[in-house]
Amino acid sequence: MEIVNRVTRMSAIAAKVLAADVKIGLVSTMGVIHPGHLSLIQTARQMTDLVVVSIFVNRLQFLTEEEYRQYPRDLTKDIDILRHENVDYIFAPLEEEMYPADFSTYITVENFGQKLPGMHQSAFFKGMTTSVIKMLHIVNPSFIFFGQKDGLQGAILRKMIRDLNFSTEVVVTPVVRDSSGLAYAARNYFLTDSQKIAASVIYRSLRVAENAVATGEVHSKKILAEIAQIVESEPQAKLEYAVIADPETLEPVKKIQGSALVGVGAMIGNTSLNDSMLVELPAK
């Protein structure tokens, strides 16, 4: 395993292996490596010849400077974990490598998912797409891997990749959860033990939606009301959004036909968490 800090070095490595017809898999992270990341790495290992894990705390994805400063960072610990995961390269660029002082170019997916509540955090999504497109350009992977927890982000990335004619395929894998159903996420670091228990209400609300659809409920309005009722039953949780959308277009779905993406965001204390699930009507 090699740790790479320079963009030019990572680009050179990618160019060399691609010339040998090697398929690269990229797992893009902001560090705080957890079981969800490890599951992505295992999938990447199965699907590709060479696995790159990027660790970059992307300033552009934070809504406030305070949130960015408080984000946990322990590169040494992350590297120690990844040494046991058969990772070929860790790409951990410095901020000045990714965003030089005169940086002024950003990627925005216009008018995509904007009809969905909770998608108003345009600064977050612009930061996410800008960082990912740079990673794709530097690493040039055949596949980039994300968990279903971030299903809304995955849909935006697929749209961006189609529009910009990148050949990379977005692979979305099942969510890895703890015993309570809470999806593993770096932001869980901020939760107290009590809040972690409370945060499992997000998954419970998704399960309610899944069960409703499995038993034939098709009306989104009714399902969303049930989600809100479940989340609001937890005193430590405040619902930020609940959406049901087409998985590819992110257009809101009033009546489910086939499959749909259910996304839920909630504040647990001062921490914003999100989760999502694909649901599908039973075959007739």
Side-chain angles (χ1 to χ4, degrees):
M1 184 177 76
E2 181 179 340
I3 301 164
V4 181
N5 302 116
R6 308 293 294 188
V7 168
T8 52
R9 170 67 178 154
M10 191 71 250
S11 293
I13 292 169
K16 182 177 180 179
V17 300
L18 288 171
D21 199 27
V22 170
K23 287 186 177 180
I24 299 174
L26 173 63
V27 177
S28 180
T29 84
M30 292 206 296
V32 196
I33 301 299
H34 53 66
H37 293 135
L38 302 185
S39 177
L40 296 177
I41 292 167
Q42 290 160 12
T43 302
R45 190 79 271 170
Q46 294 169 2
M47 293 181 61
T48 64
D49 306 307
L50 184 148
V51 176
V52 177
V53 175
S54 65
I55 299 177
F56 176 63
V57 182
N58 180 24
R59 179 187 294 270
L60 301 183
Q61 287 181 230
F62 294 87
L63 300 181
T64 67
E65 180 65 21
E66 180 182 9
E67 186 183 20
Y68 172 72
R69 290 198 307 269
Q70 291 179 345
Y71 189 84
R73 298 163 173 83
D74 192 338
L75 183 59
T76 300
K77 181 179 179 180
D78 289 341
I79 290 170
D80 286 343
I81 294 171
L82 294 175
R83 287 191 195 280
H84 303 286
E85 296 301 321
N86 201 17
V87 170
D88 296 289
Y89 294 94
I90 295 175
F91 179 42
L94 301 175
E95 184 171 3
E96 53 266 31
E97 281 277 297
M98 292 292 283
Y99 303 127
D102 60 348
F103 185 86
S104 61
T105 302
Y106 303 91
I107 299 295
T108 303
V109 182
E110 297 282 355
N111 303 318
F112 187 74
Q114 294 303 308
K115 296 179 183 178
L116 297 178
M119 299 293 280
H120 60 277
Q121 295 179 339
S122 58
F124 169 85
F125 288 109
K126 181 177 76 172
M128 183 268 295
T129 50
T130 299
S131 175
V132 170
I133 206 71
K134 286 177 71 69
M135 290 293 179
L136 295 183
H137 180 66
I138 296 164
V139 179
N140 203 357
S142 298
F143 303 95
I144 184 170
F145 298 85
F146 287 88
Q148 182 61 61
K149 181 186 83 69
D150 300 312
L152 297 176
Q153 292 184 43
I156 292 172
L157 292 178
R158 283 194 296 270
K159 170 67 171 170
M160 176 188 74
I161 286 170
R162 289 196 302 269
D163 286 354
L164 297 180
N165 300 111
F166 274 74
S167 59
T168 302
E169 180 180 338
V170 178
V171 178
V172 179
T173 67
V175 183
V176 179
R177 306 179 182 279
D178 68 15
S179 58
S180 73
L182 176 64
Y184 285 105
R187 291 177 186 273
N188 295 356
Y189 171 90
F190 296 110
L191 302 176
T192 65
D193 290 342
S194 172
Q195 288 172 338
K196 287 179 181 178
I197 295 171
S200 66
V201 74
I202 299 174
Y203 178 57
R204 294 202 303 273
S205 73
L206 289 173
R207 286 298 307 273
V208 165
E210 182 183 43
N211 291 336
V213 174
T215 55
E217 180 58 63
V218 298
H219 295 94
S220 295
K221 186 175 181 180
K222 183 175 180 180
I223 298 170
L224 292 172
E226 291 187 41
I227 289 174
Q229 184 179 20
I230 294 295
V231 175
E232 289 166 2
S233 70
E234 169 52 60
Q236 297 188 73
K238 180 181 178 181
L239 184 67
E240 291 187 298
Y241 65 84
V243 299
I244 299 178
D246 182 286
E248 292 301 320
T249 67
L250 288 192
E251 285 294 308
V253 172
K254 292 184 178 179
K255 189 174 182 180
I256 297 173
Q257 298 177 340
S259 62
L261 179 66
V262 183
V264 175
M267 289 290 294
I268 309 296
N270 295 319
T271 303
S272 180
L273 300 178
N274 67 278
D275 203 345
S276 73
M277 179 182 288
L278 276 174
V279 297
E280 191 163 357
L281 283 172
K284 294 183 179 179

